[in-house]
Amino acid sequence: MATNIFIAGHKGMVGSAITRKLSQNKNLNIITAAKSELNLLNQESVNRFMSNHNIDQIYVAAAKVGGILANNNFPADFIYENIIIQSNIINSAHNNNVNKILFLGSSCIYPKYAKQPIKEESILSGVLEETNEPYAVAKIAGIKMCESFNRQFNRDYRSAMPTNLYGENDNFHPNNSHVIPGLLQRFHEAKIKKDDLVEVWGSGNVLREFLYVEDAADACILIMNSDAELYKKVTTDTLSQINIGTGIDITIKELALLIKQVTNFKGKIVFNTNLPDGTPRKLLDISKICSLGWKPKYTLLQGLQKTYDWYVKNYNKKIKQ
């Protein structure tokens, strides 16, 4: 009998990558729902959906996401929508006897000045980065909700905390995107228009770690399907999230130079120091996920090239939206 897997957020960057990989397995029945079919912000709608499908596993990849500017401008939206989406899914899953969940969080759950590289044990050990605190608080609540259902009802709800992700189906909005899609879009536009320079927000000196979404999808599937005893060896009842990253970080300045190379932009790069940098450094300790048998396959340059190729191929479609 096929395993029924619901992927919430299947059109997003991570959800679509997980969907592509799982769809290759003929023993799995992948269940998805468009926003017009399922309103994840409506508890009754989510519960009805769960009761109508005999679901075995859920990947919670649905979320409201954005970069520094979006988090600054819409903090109420980020905390409210993310808490409601994940609460509806997790609680409805439990009510309909779905025993396995993989909840996708973010490395922003860790304190702004956490010791580097950041171990899972750093959660709730200090203040969060101000610009995305509402989003981070929502994701921390999701982790603790999974742990609480595990403790009270013996569920098998797991959590993965990826570093900064990028890749196909990313959000390339000029204002509300994360750093890699934002820069790819900006450098590409500048090349097409033959501009002399590209502005990069911040000083360029902060350090960031980036993971290609295909690698992240592999890690998520591994965490979901890891043997329970093996999973328990690297987690506890109240510290269950597992970091996903590369273990390597670079400055935003170095990233900008790589993107300049990938897009073949010939002009200059200028850094706008009037705009915020965010957290000074955010490098994850990935020893736990590596102990489960995973490691990234793509270098940053390889991932950037694949992402840019996809962006160029889909460019006309994107600018019409």
Side-chain angles (χ1 to χ4, degrees):
M1 186 179 294
T3 301
N4 295 322
I5 301 177
F6 171 48
I7 301 173
H10 72 286
K11 289 191 175 181
M13 179 174 57
V14 185
S16 62
I18 293 172
T19 302
R20 285 194 300 272
K21 289 183 178 293
L22 293 179
S23 296
Q24 296 170 12
N25 188 335
K26 294 181 180 179
N27 293 319
L28 304 178
N29 178 35
I30 308 304
I31 300 168
T32 60
K35 287 184 179 180
S36 58
E37 302 172 85
L38 174 61
N39 180 7
L40 293 174
L41 292 169
N42 183 289
Q43 187 177 39
E44 184 180 351
S45 175
V46 176
N47 196 62
R48 188 185 311 114
F49 180 85
M50 296 284 184
S51 66
N52 289 338
H53 297 82
N54 185 27
I55 298 170
D56 299 301
Q57 297 181 3
I58 299 175
Y59 286 83
V60 186
K64 182 176 180 61
V65 297
I68 291 175
L69 191 63
N71 275 274
N72 260 334
N73 291 342
F74 310 107
D77 294 349
F78 276 90
I79 193 166
Y80 173 77
E81 290 189 27
N82 282 299
I83 285 177
I84 295 298
I85 288 168
Q86 66 205 29
S87 297
N88 285 344
I89 294 172
I90 294 167
N91 188 60
S92 293
H94 167 69
N95 289 339
N96 289 278
N97 204 30
V98 180
N99 200 49
K100 294 206 72 173
I101 287 177
L102 193 283
F103 173 72
L104 267 292
S106 165
S107 58
C108 71
I109 65 164
Y110 295 116
K112 181 175 182 177
Y113 298 109
K115 183 179 177 181
Q116 308 288 320
I118 306 172
K119 293 181 178 291
E120 286 86 351
E121 290 78 3
S122 295
I123 190 172
L124 297 175
S125 66
V127 296
L128 299 164
E129 204 281 317
E130 297 87 349
T131 59
N132 62 7
E133 183 189 65
Y135 178 77
V137 167
K139 289 299 180 181
I140 291 169
I143 297 166
K144 293 303 172 184
M145 181 172 288
C146 287
E147 290 176 353
S148 299
F149 275 87
N150 291 343
R151 292 164 60 200
Q152 186 171 340
F153 300 108
N154 199 32
R155 293 300 185 192
D156 189 2
Y157 295 171
R158 306 178 182 188
S159 299
M161 296 301 114
T163 189
N164 301 290
L165 301 178
Y166 67 97
E168 291 86 340
N169 289 312
D170 206 340
N171 171 22
F172 289 89
H173 189 281
N175 295 322
N176 294 334
S177 60
H178 287 111
V179 60
I180 284 181
L183 288 180
L184 282 172
Q185 189 266 349
R186 211 172 302 160
F187 275 86
H188 180 76
E189 289 271 4
K191 180 181 75 171
I192 297 300
K193 295 177 180 177
K194 295 182 169 56
D195 291 340
D196 295 328
L197 59 86
V198 166
E199 180 183 275
V200 178
W201 295 350
S203 68
N205 296 323
V206 297
L207 289 155
R208 288 292 181 271
E209 174 187 20
F210 299 99
L211 180 67
Y212 185 50
V213 71
E214 295 294 318
D215 281 331
D218 285 336
C220 290
I221 294 167
L222 176 67
I223 291 172
M224 172 71 96
N225 295 299
S226 289
D227 177 77
E229 291 305 313
L230 181 60
Y231 183 76
K232 287 179 181 178
K233 284 183 180 179
V234 297
T235 62
T236 69
D237 289 347
T238 55
L239 186 64
S240 65
Q241 84 278 6
I242 294 181
N243 291 342
I244 304 173
T246 62
I248 302 168
D249 58 3
I250 65 169
T251 66
I252 296 300
K253 190 172 293 183
E254 290 170 319
L255 174 68
L257 289 170
L258 276 178
I259 291 177
K260 179 181 178 181
Q261 174 187 334
V262 166
T263 57
N264 198 29
F265 172 68
K266 302 299 184 183
K268 294 181 179 179
I269 302 171
V270 295
F271 293 88
N272 186 342
T273 55
N274 294 319
L275 290 166
D277 275 332
T279 305
R281 191 184 189 199
K282 197 167 63 171
L283 177 66
L284 295 183
D285 182 307
I286 58 170
S287 55
K288 289 186 178 181
I289 183 66
C290 290
S291 73
L292 295 178
W294 174 90
K295 64 179 181 179
K297 297 174 183 175
Y298 296 89
T299 66
L300 180 56
L301 184 58
Q302 288 171 334
L304 288 173
Q305 189 63 62
K306 287 177 71 67
T307 304
Y308 182 58
D309 291 345
W310 181 89
Y311 173 72
V312 171
K313 184 179 178 181
N314 292 271
Y315 181 68
N316 290 330
K317 182 175 70 174
K318 287 291 176 185
I319 62 173
K320 289 175 184 175
Q321 291 180 350

